[in-house]
Amino acid sequence: MSRLTIKELQNMKSQGEKIAVLTAYDASFASLLDDNGVDAFIVGDSLGMVCQGHDSTLPVTMDDMVYHSANVARGSQRSYVITDLPYQSYTTVKQTLENAQRLINEGGAQMVKLEGGQQQLENIKELIKHNIPVCGHLGLEPQSVKELGGYKVQGRDEDSAARILNDAKALQQAGIQILVLECIPASLGKLITEVLSIPVIGIGAGVDCDGQVLVTYDMLGISRGHKAKFVKNFLQGQNDIESAIRAYVEAVKKSQYPALEHSYQ
Ligand code: KIV
């Protein structure tokens, strides 16, 4: 079985087929997600919280990301693998390229993800120049949690909504091929999804995005602590983990998740 390609994900957007994405951090989960219809994984630096027990993504290192990404790549055959560049791993163009090359070459990633808008344009252009596919991440950017003063919904006022929209356009112009939008009003998620030609994957960005992603442990209801409004436990009412994954994929494909109760206004 061969892996999905970015072209196939792009075709899904063109044809109106929703893209089901979940996070993966190890081979066993990657294999289960792969077998049950998940189109793409994000090997997210959220592993800092759900695997390592930190209270943010900031302590996660490049070695951590390479290790987890390689485990996920080994455990899967079909899903497209997107791996996060962690905090402080893309502060210069040279560092960005070297670290992205590690995620691709050692970590088996198909694409790397980085957070931020206009300030990332030079980094993105350098990666594209070296044939490294890039995923952007706007809205709530967890690596900026200190500057943001906590995990808060973004884009609620006119200025910040306009900034996120302009950043999204600039990132696409610079060459990103997927955009993740986190914790923004559903109306802004819809607008950005309509304006961009690349697939837009939402997490707390409303049902109109081209696809959805959740932290797998949240989707299974096994994460501890604060539960964000957009989180839904798909294990509830199912007998096992594989049925829960299939229920998530089906709900995303049929635009039944996220419902209004999981969306920000
Ligand atoms: O680290 C992470 O889990 C993410 C989410 C958006 C999926 O980046």
Side-chain angles (χ1 to χ4, degrees):
M1 191 188 290
S2 58
R3 281 196 194 277
L4 287 176
T5 61
I6 184 62
K7 193 165 187 308
E8 287 169 299
L9 296 176
Q10 178 68 56
N11 285 343
M12 288 168 76
K13 170 165 181 139
S14 312
Q15 289 159 12
E17 183 188 344
K18 297 280 182 179
I19 303 169
V21 185
L22 283 168
T23 65
Y25 315 106
D26 66 49
S28 298
F29 266 107
S31 168
L32 281 185
L33 301 175
D34 211 44
D35 286 350
N36 287 283
V38 172
D39 298 309
F41 305 134
I42 292 181
V43 184
D45 58 1
S46 51
L47 68 86
M49 290 178 278
V50 297
C51 299
Q52 298 176 332
H54 295 297
D55 61 4
S56 77
T57 60
L58 307 189
V60 177
T61 66
M62 265 307 298
D63 284 347
D64 294 334
M65 294 311 301
V66 168
Y67 170 81
H68 285 277
S69 186
N71 292 342
V72 167
R74 274 192 295 271
S76 59
Q77 294 179 295
R78 175 184 173 271
S79 304
Y80 191 78
V81 182
I82 304 165
T83 301
D84 271 347
L85 280 159
Y87 182 59
Q88 295 294 310
S89 72
Y90 46 105
T91 59
T92 64
V93 168
K94 181 170 178 287
Q95 186 200 29
T96 304
L97 177 61
E98 284 169 3
N99 283 328
Q101 285 170 329
R102 280 196 70 196
L103 294 182
I104 302 282
N105 297 334
E106 298 170 50
Q110 263 77 59
M111 177 178 268
V112 302
K113 176 161 84 61
L114 45 73
E115 297 178 9
Q118 311 277 343
Q119 76 276 25
Q120 297 304 338
L121 298 184
E122 291 315 309
N123 286 338
I124 292 167
K125 286 179 191 162
E126 180 75 357
L127 296 181
I128 304 299
K129 202 162 81 191
H130 288 82
N131 297 319
I132 297 180
V134 185
C135 175
H137 184 148
L138 294 172
L140 173 57
E141 298 166 18
Q143 292 176 13
S144 304
V145 63
K146 286 185 187 152
E147 292 89 316
L148 297 174
Y151 296 96
K152 296 178 182 160
V153 181
Q154 304 295 307
R156 272 196 158 140
D157 61 81
E158 233 171 81
D159 283 356
S160 78
R163 185 181 44 74
I164 295 170
L165 175 61
N166 288 335
D167 279 348
K169 289 182 193 165
L171 292 183
Q172 175 173 278
Q173 177 74 23
I176 66 161
Q177 288 172 290
I178 295 182
L179 176 65
V180 169
L181 290 177
E182 180 164 353
C183 281
I184 58 169
S187 54
L188 182 58
K190 181 173 192 287
L191 175 65
I192 294 173
T193 304
E194 285 168 357
V195 166
L196 296 198
S197 58
I198 58 170
V200 174
I201 308 298
I203 174 163
V207 72
D208 293 303
C209 295
D210 299 306
Q212 301 293 328
V213 60
L214 273 181
V215 169
T216 294
Y217 298 178
D218 289 343
M219 184 276 293
L220 294 173
I222 55 176
S223 302
R224 316 304 282 178
H226 171 73
K227 186 167 150 270
K229 181 182 167 101
F230 58 79
V231 168
K232 178 173 175 187
N233 176 355
F234 283 86
L235 191 54
Q236 231 158 34
Q238 303 292 334
N239 290 328
D240 54 35
I241 290 176
E242 289 194 87
S243 308
I245 298 166
R246 285 196 295 273
Y248 169 76
V249 170
E250 189 182 334
V252 171
K253 298 273 176 195
K254 291 185 172 165
S255 300
Q256 290 167 346
Y257 172 80
L260 222 50
E261 72 198 87
H262 308 115
S263 304
Y264 302 105
Q265 307 309 319

